Amino acid sequence: MKIGLLGCGTVGGGVLKIAESREDLKVKYVLVRRERPELGSLAVYDIEKILQDPEVDTVVEVLGGIHPSFEYVSRALEAGKNLVTANKYLVAHYYRELLSLAEKKKAAFRCTAAVGGGIPWLVNLQRAARVSPMQRFYGIMNGTTNFILDSMETDGKSFSEVLATAQKLGYAEADPTADIDGLDVQRKCIISANVAFGSLLKEEEVPVAGIRCIQEPDIRAAHLHGRCCRFMATGSRTENGISAYVQPEFLPDRSLECAVRQNFNMISFETEYTGRESFYGQGAGRFPTAYNVVEDLLDIQNGTRGFYSEAGKEIPVDNESETMPYYFRTRAEDSWLEEKSMEKWADGVLTEEISVREAHRQAARLRRQDPEIFFAGVR
Ligand code: HSE
């Protein structure tokens, strides 16, 4: 296999190192923006060099972002080259386009590393979904936020202190917005739902609430009621379509999720025949993520073409059928919240069971009065 590697940052560097240790994976070019003397003759600065070389059969995209990544990978697919990417933003945003281009050109398109970093999640989700309809998936898909929640609980530190540690340890980005506001997990949730249910979800269809505003009293409220707080993505089949959402949740202390510490991820699916199956490991990092990229390359080499070969469908989104009680902490005085409240939980309240759709809609409304509002689903 002759590879054109687009990008040589954290993950790309890992892919290059692993590929160099193998006879069967030859990285012929590495596309970089700036001079990288250590790459020697591998370095190229113009995508045309890779696109025009018929010897390059596979492109690995680890540039991140959606532009110019999308333009580069669509041209590579158009040229009949296989595509492996770890870029969740690109895949979540352009799933439909990439899927149909890969179909049209009979090229392989795989992105196992885009969700769960080094965990073989998507590949097993897709394999299981072939046998019987996937019923549900849920889990912790972001290491930075899990590290923050776990440290707040374990060390009693504030959100900002723990975030600074996460940045120092290299878990969180210098700009951690996508992690703490949930966009990173929303993208992973969209990709997982599309693989699990054959859907074509758009970002605006998946409500997301992050953990930016979590405070010590929220952790205490969960703890007082035998729960921990985890940042969860969920997708499920409902009578009217599929439900998909991202939010903090208070989960029973004895749940597997509460045992997930530091920056680890754990994602589970359920089918009628298997019950729950869970996948645990490092959801980020150079070599774990590069490992999944290399496994995709080897799968393609072994003849597995389409990870996503079947066309996706427009399936209605139904976040009305999913209901649970919610914890709300807000300074806003509000008749809706008063009407729904069942009991006081530390500085907040526990509502009666309400739909995911209603919880997120009302929280967005209340946020205009109180930007520091925090809410979480309660299981
Ligand atoms: N920032 C992400 C995380 C990296 O912390 O999990 C992988 O998407």
Side-chain angles (χ1 to χ4, degrees), residues 86 88 113-117 141-147 170-173 176 178-179 184-185 188 263-265 282-285 289:
K88 67 220 95 184
V115 184
M141 298 184 175
N142 182 278
T144 303
T145 46
N146 202 67
F147 178 83
Y171 298 154
E173 307 293 322
D179 290 316
D184 176 77
V185 177
K188 293 168 178 170
N263 65 329
F264 280 85
N265 287 195
Q282 279 291 330
T289 311

Side-chain angles (χ1 to χ4, degrees), residues 90 102 118 131 141 183-184 209 254 297 300 376:
L90 174 76
V131 184
M141 298 184 175
L183 298 177
D184 176 77
R254 63 175 188 286
L297 292 170
I300 293 174

Side-chain angles (χ1 to χ4, degrees), residues 92-106:
H93 197 76
Y94 285 114
Y95 186 84
R96 185 185 303 245
E97 291 81 355
L98 295 174
L99 195 73
S100 76
L101 258 180
E103 283 280 309
K104 188 171 100 188
K105 293 292 171 176
K106 302 283 168 254

Side-chain angles (χ1 to χ4, degrees), residues 97-321:
E97 291 81 355
L98 295 174
L99 195 73
S100 76
L101 258 180
E103 283 280 309
K104 188 171 100 188
K105 293 292 171 176
K106 302 283 168 254
F109 162 37
R110 299 175 71 79
C111 64
T112 311
V115 184
I119 306 172
W121 159 247
L122 283 183
V123 73
N124 281 298
L125 181 68
Q126 190 267 336
R127 289 178 83 238
R130 295 175 307 177
V131 184
S132 73
M134 190 55 61
Q135 293 177 322
R136 190 174 181 83
F137 71 82
Y138 46 94
I140 298 164
M141 298 184 175
N142 182 278
T144 303
T145 46
N146 202 67
F147 178 83
I148 292 173
L149 294 173
D150 182 40
S151 308
M152 284 180 78
E153 253 162 38
T154 315
D155 308 330
K157 293 200 175 133
S158 70
F159 177 85
S160 48
E161 273 177 291
V162 180
L163 176 60
T165 313
Q167 283 172 312
K168 220 180 284 164
L169 290 171
Y171 298 154
E173 307 293 322
D175 174 8
T177 311
D179 290 316
I180 63 179
D181 290 337
L183 298 177
D184 176 77
V185 177
Q186 186 196 40
R187 290 162 191 154
K188 293 168 178 170
C189 184
I190 289 172
I191 300 170
S192 300
N194 289 350
V195 173
F197 309 123
S199 54
L200 292 169
L201 286 181
K202 301 182 198 74
E203 278 111 330
E204 60 274 20
E205 293 175 315
V206 178
V208 51
I211 62 158
R212 180 185 287 275
C213 294
I214 193 167
Q215 295 174 4
E216 185 278 329
D218 308 320
I219 301 284
R220 185 153 41 89
H223 182 68
L224 286 171
H225 294 86
R227 289 172 169 83
C228 78
C229 183
R230 290 291 179 263
F231 192 38
M232 300 287 289
T234 303
S236 69
R237 217 177 266 286
T238 73
E239 273 188 15
N240 305 317
I242 56 168
S243 168
Y245 52 93
V246 174
Q247 61 187 17
E249 293 185 2
F250 291 176
L251 304 169
D253 278 337
R254 63 175 188 286
S255 66
L256 289 181
E257 284 77 11
C258 288
V260 176
R261 316 310 284 271
Q262 301 173 323
N263 65 329
F264 280 85
N265 287 195
M266 186 179 71
I267 325 172
S268 308
F269 66 65
E270 290 174 5
T271 70
E272 185 188 348
Y273 297 110
T274 58
R276 175 182 188 168
E277 294 192 11
S278 298
F279 299 81
Y280 170 87
Q282 279 291 330
R286 165 171 283 199
F287 286 112
T289 311
Y291 209 87
N292 253 339
V293 170
V294 172
E295 290 200 78
D296 277 353
L297 292 170
L298 297 182
D299 283 342
I300 293 174
Q301 191 160 254
N302 289 342
T304 312
R305 309 292 301 166
F307 187 170
Y308 301 109
S309 61
E310 284 161 36
K313 293 188 286 291
E314 304 277 357
I315 304 178
V317 175
D318 168 29
N319 285 321
E320 199 62 58
S321 308

Side-chain angles (χ1 to χ4, degrees), residues 330-344:
T330 176
R331 289 192 311 266
E333 288 184 10
D334 186 69
S335 57
W336 172 83
L337 190 56
E338 223 164 84
E339 192 191 309
K340 299 290 174 188
S341 295
M342 304 279 287
E343 43 186 283
K344 189 136 182 60

